Amino acid sequence: PWRLEAWNSQIRRWDDRHDEISVLPYADALVAYEAAHGSIRSDGSHPELGALTVIAEQSLLPVVRSLLAPGARS
């Protein structure tokens, strides 16, 4: 847990200091999906590819597309 927190802290520092960095709501999307469908981590850690693909398509891809849209970071 301490390594994960250290890594997440570093990501937050980069995000705070650099406008060109965006943090995607990955954890939120994963937790919401599992709340609706049950756990998708058969090994207790890593999400199953099929479910992760659905999460990416529904929750993350729209965010990425909006970030890449012309004028999105103007």
Side-chain angles (χ1 to χ4, degrees), residues 11-40:
I11 298 296
R12 284 190 293 275
R13 284 191 297 274
W14 286 330
D15 184 42
D16 290 344
R17 292 181 184 145
H18 303 282
D19 291 337
E20 67 274 13
I21 293 176
S22 296
V23 176
L24 299 179
Y26 171 75
D28 295 340
L30 182 61
V31 168
Y33 187 92
E34 288 186 315
H37 302 281
S39 178
I40 60 169

Side-chain angles (χ1 to χ4, degrees), residues 25-59:
Y26 171 75
D28 295 340
L30 182 61
V31 168
Y33 187 92
E34 288 186 315
H37 302 281
S39 178
I40 60 169
R41 300 178 233 198
S42 59
D43 69 356
S45 182
H46 302 94
E48 297 166 3
L49 183 58
L52 192 57
T53 300
V54 171
I55 292 168
E57 289 173 344
Q58 293 177 352
S59 301

Side-chain angles (χ1 to χ4, degrees), residues 61-73:
L61 192 55
V63 175
V64 171
R65 285 186 173 141
S66 72
L67 291 170
L68 296 176
R73 292 182 182 247

